[in-house]
Amino acid sequence: MNSKWQRKLGSKLLFYIPLALTLAFVLVPFLWAISTSLKREADVLSGTVRYIPSPATFENFIHVWNDNNFSQYFLNSVFVSVVSVVAITVLSVLNGYAMSRFKFKGKGAFMLVLLATQMMPVILFVIPLFLIFKNLGMINTPYALILFYIVLQVPFNTILMRGFISSTPKEIDEAAMVDGAGRLRIIFAIIMPIVLPGIVATSAFAFIGVWNEFLVAFSFITTPDQFTIPIGLKFMVGEFSVQYASLAAGSIIGLIPPVLLFMFIQRYLVEGLGGAVKG
Amino acid sequence: MELSQSTGGKRMTVKSKLSRKKTGDRWFPYLLIAPTVLLIAGLLVFPIFRVFDLSVQSYDFTRLQKAGYIGLENFRNIFTKDDMFYSSLWITVKWVLIEVVLQLVFGLIVALLLNQAFRLRGLVRSMVLVPWAVSGVLTTMLWSLMFNQHIGVINDILMKLGLISEPVAWLANIHTVFGSVVVAELWRGIPFFAITLLAALQTIPHEVYESCEVDGAGSVKKLFFITLPFLKESIVFATLLRAIWEFNSIDMIFTMTNGGPMDMTTTLPIYMMKTSILEGNYGYGSAIGVVTFAFLMIFVVLYLRLNRSGGMQDE
């Protein structure tokens, strides 16, 4: 009786201790950044490491938003992300529909190209595109970023979208056709509403990718008024005197949109990937 | 009689309507994928050819008077004179191996934990997986605050535990910098494996475990004889994909260390970026790109092979 109870306790510990360690590993960086962002700059550098900010202040957020130009970076990031994501979503739905409903010559090759794009190092494209965009006068404009982000994100989103559309019955399309609906109307008025959860998940997925992108933005954007948030943060560190509390506040501002979106789509994402992995 | 005729007539119109649509369907899928194909051709395929073209040129912004085609000289220099190339290649290989193996092991453990039924599972799941949504630059910022010699929590904890006697400059010390970046990247990479493997775990039917329990198998046996074989495909898929991503990853290491100190964290993509984008030597940078490309093709061929035989099949 006693040994059975001990075994049960043992297996509980074997579960909860690793889980607690995992949670700690994940959460401590967030908590440390939040704590730092709420301290006064002088308290951060005082030499003694304090865990709870006292006094706690929001002045870093106000400072970084106004004086470090984060409001501008934030708006730039929002503009680039929203325009890219709308285009990515529409293209992925069109591709996904083509892949799931039709057999056509070159379909296999198209799939291969989509997969292959996921494996190329982005830096390889950055070199020639930098020269091309420079000739076109598109360096230091958000449009260079938007164009490139679309082409980088569409392939994976197409693969996810194909999975979602394949799980809707083909009979729906046929019934709508009998009623006289054209293919485009079927896609936008019938299929899209049905797979809306999938669309939300893939767009959020694309948004996170675009919002976080660093290398392309770092290479194509050199004027501060066009910086996106990752580039703005990178240059905050580049200067020789780093304002840590402001840096922490800026990081948290940059974290909020993708983290909130992720919390929202996490369940769909696990399901969607389950579908994608299984085909 | 009349009734059957009318239904017959209706069936005819349905059929003809469908077949009329179907003939239009011959070109329709091409119309759907056309914008994507054009974008890929213009922004990915054409630039690749341009990289190959640039790689056989001397195209250096600081020495433009010497511009022109120079044959394979860039490549000769890479393989015979360039110690930096070999060191960055070695660092890349080390980086990919360590990251992928550790992410796989810990990702599998986390996926198994999160697949259990427990209270507040939904909340814990979103918390544990959330670093996946955090960019390389932001990961860098969070961990730089922790690794910082003066204000960092890591030194404070280690000193209170008595493990170190004085603060360590984790990112400025050539002995600790690589390990520090590895830990930060694990933070971001483990959730990717956890998400992928969790997705796969959820497709294992319950009955398999139940029948195994009837036969008296313990949890270790269940792990090795049911779970892992079931996960095999997903593990191979995720590992290969991640190896390619880690090979290419640049944002984390670059923003955390700028490739330093003393190039201890300069990987091939970082070397490529420094040579071309930062120093303006597009010809030599492109040649490094072509060599990198060749290495990656090994992964790509492997991936596509595995992909054919299972996983994401085309229906």
Side-chain angles (χ1 to χ4, degrees):
Chain A
M1 201 59 191
N2 200 14
S3 76
K4 196 178 170 188
W5 184 83
Q6 271 176 344
R7 255 218 324 264
K8 212 173 160 195
L9 181 76
S11 76
K12 283 236 157 166
L13 287 179
L14 213 62
F15 172 71
Y16 281 107
I17 290 176
L19 192 68
L21 287 175
T22 309
L23 263 177
F25 180 61
V26 167
L27 292 182
V28 165
F30 287 118
L31 296 176
W32 188 246
I34 292 171
S35 160
T36 309
S37 73
L38 296 174
K39 291 175 192 168
R40 292 181 306 191
E41 206 71 65
D43 291 339
V44 172
L45 291 170
S46 68
T48 46
V49 174
R50 251 185 249 157
Y51 289 80
I52 308 290
S54 71
T57 168
F58 280 101
E59 67 187 22
N60 301 307
F61 287 91
I62 298 162
H63 170 69
V64 90
W65 186 259
N66 294 327
D67 306 339
N68 286 63
N69 236 351
F70 254 66
S71 49
Q72 184 66 45
Y73 306 158
F74 196 87
L75 283 180
N76 293 340
S77 278
V78 168
F79 178 71
V80 169
S81 307
V82 169
V83 176
S84 310
V85 166
V86 171
I88 292 162
T89 306
V90 171
L91 290 179
S92 309
V93 170
L94 296 182
N95 294 336
Y97 189 82
M99 307 281 286
S100 107
R101 290 299 196 257
F102 298 99
K103 279 196 161 69
F104 56 95
K105 236 189 195 155
K107 183 173 159 183
F110 183 57
M111 186 69 179
L112 243 158
V113 170
L114 292 185
L115 288 172
T117 59
Q118 298 303 290
M119 293 159 213
M120 301 294 155
V122 173
I123 179 72
L124 203 62
F125 306 113
V126 167
I127 299 173
L129 281 179
F130 177 82
L131 297 171
I132 294 167
F133 283 141
K134 201 170 174 172
N135 283 333
L136 297 173
M138 282 171 72
I139 292 298
N140 284 323
T141 70
Y143 306 104
L145 297 186
I146 290 169
L147 263 180
F148 200 31
Y149 290 163
I150 293 172
V151 81
L152 287 180
Q153 295 280 334
V154 161
F156 193 66
N157 279 278
T158 294
I159 293 166
L160 286 178
M161 221 48 244
R162 186 196 64 152
F164 286 117
I165 294 175
S166 292
S167 65
T168 64
K170 275 185 185 168
E171 287 72 31
I172 299 176
D173 302 39
E174 278 165 13
M177 259 185 265
V178 170
D179 291 340
R183 282 284 189 186
L184 276 179
R185 235 184 92 196
I186 295 175
I187 296 174
F188 287 107
I190 298 170
I191 298 295
M192 274 181 85
I194 297 178
V195 293
L196 196 65
I199 290 180
V200 171
T202 46
S203 339
F205 186 77
F207 180 91
I208 292 170
V210 172
W211 183 269
N212 287 335
E213 204 287 329
F214 169 75
L215 173 64
V216 178
F218 179 76
S219 309
F220 290 179
I221 304 289
T222 51
T223 52
D225 59 338
Q226 298 291 345
F227 279 178
T228 55
I229 284 185
I231 312 305
L233 281 171
K234 159 81 182 161
F235 279 100
M236 268 181 81
V237 182
E239 289 146 31
F240 29 97
S241 73
V242 183
Q243 294 177 300
Y244 291 105
S246 302
L247 187 64
S251 305
I252 287 165
I253 293 173
L255 277 171
I256 291 170
V259 166
L260 282 184
L261 263 181
F262 175 80
M263 299 283 235
F264 178 63
I265 62 157
Q266 175 259 123
R267 195 165 47 91
Y268 296 116
L269 193 71
V270 171
E271 279 166 20
L273 273 175
V277 173
K278 282 275 146 186
Chain B
M1 192 65 198
E2 239 182 59
L3 192 77
S4 77
Q5 250 180 350
S6 77
T7 51
K10 193 171 181 196
R11 199 176 297 143
M12 273 308 287
T13 54
V14 166
K15 244 193 171 165
S16 71
K17 259 187 182 175
L18 274 178
S19 70
R20 208 172 63 232
K21 299 275 161 151
K22 289 267 151 102
T23 46
D25 283 354
R26 271 236 306 268
W27 49 267
F28 189 67
Y30 295 107
L31 203 69
L32 291 178
I33 65 168
T36 304
V37 170
L38 286 177
L39 276 171
I40 290 179
L43 291 165
L44 300 180
V45 178
F46 172 65
I48 287 278
F49 283 104
R50 187 92 172 88
V51 165
F52 277 87
D53 183 40
L54 282 167
S55 72
V56 291
Q57 296 182 38
S58 164
Y59 190 162
D60 187 340
F61 259 41
T62 56
R63 301 187 306 168
L64 272 181
Q65 70 282 3
K66 284 197 172 180
Y69 284 89
I70 51 167
L72 296 177
E73 200 186 306
N74 284 331
F75 294 96
R76 244 196 318 274
N77 289 341
I78 287 177
F79 286 111
T80 56
K81 290 185 193 157
D82 193 346
D83 290 339
M84 197 54 223
F85 167 75
Y86 287 103
S87 111
S88 57
L89 177 63
W90 167 235
I91 291 169
T92 311
V93 170
K94 211 164 63 165
W95 170 256
V96 172
L97 277 180
I98 293 176
E99 280 300 338
V100 169
V101 170
L102 292 181
Q103 285 176 27
L104 172 61
V105 172
F106 287 116
L108 180 63
I109 293 172
V110 171
L112 289 170
L113 288 173
L114 293 182
N115 200 40
Q116 307 289 319
F118 58 92
R119 226 184 298 169
L120 296 177
R121 181 171 76 169
L123 182 69
V124 172
R125 252 192 205 175
S126 0
M127 287 200 294
V128 169
L129 301 180
V130 86
W132 177 84
V134 179
S135 74
V137 176
L138 285 165
T139 305
T140 301
M141 298 305 153
L142 300 184
W143 281 87
S144 298
L145 290 171
M146 306 229 304
F147 281 130
N148 189 283
Q149 187 177 1
H150 307 292
I151 69 155
V153 66
I154 290 175
N155 277 328
D156 195 61
I157 292 174
L158 291 178
M159 279 166 72
K160 279 185 181 143
L161 290 174
L163 292 173
I164 53 175
S165 53
E166 55 186 47
V168 177
W170 296 98
L171 296 176
N173 183 323
I174 56 165
H175 302 293
T176 57
V177 63
F178 188 77
S180 304
V181 184
V182 163
V183 170
E185 176 72 6
L186 282 181
W187 183 79
R188 186 170 70 134
I190 290 171
F192 167 80
F193 273 97
I195 291 173
T196 320
L197 297 180
L198 189 58
L201 278 175
Q202 292 181 346
T203 62
I204 304 179
H206 266 289
E207 298 79 39
V208 188
Y209 285 112
E210 278 158 20
S211 69
C212 197
E213 270 162 35
V214 172
D215 295 340
S219 27
V220 177
K221 265 203 175 142
K222 277 190 281 182
L223 175 67
F224 282 98
F225 291 105
I226 303 179
T227 311
L228 288 181
F230 250 101
L231 289 184
K232 204 178 106 192
E233 239 170 50
S234 308
I235 288 177
V236 173
F237 168 79
T239 306
L240 218 47
L241 204 59
R242 195 67 195 173
I244 294 163
W245 284 346
E246 290 298 349
F247 192 106
N248 293 332
S249 79
I250 202 167
D251 48 359
M252 255 276 316
I253 310 179
F254 181 68
T255 49
M256 204 151 184
T257 66
N258 266 321
M262 292 172 70
D263 294 320
M264 289 299 288
T265 53
T266 297
T267 59
L268 263 186
I270 290 181
Y271 183 39
M272 202 193 311
M273 177 171 91
K274 281 189 162 173
T275 311
S276 50
I277 302 293
L278 297 182
E279 288 163 18
N281 193 346
Y282 293 97
Y284 198 71
S286 297
I288 302 170
V290 169
V291 175
T292 311
F293 183 78
F295 281 117
L296 272 175
M297 285 317 283
I298 303 169
F299 286 115
V300 174
V301 169
L302 260 176
Y303 174 86
L304 290 175
R305 282 240 160 137
L306 290 164
N307 206 50
R308 281 266 166 83
S309 60
M312 278 200 219
Q313 268 165 346
D314 210 19
E315 65 255 72

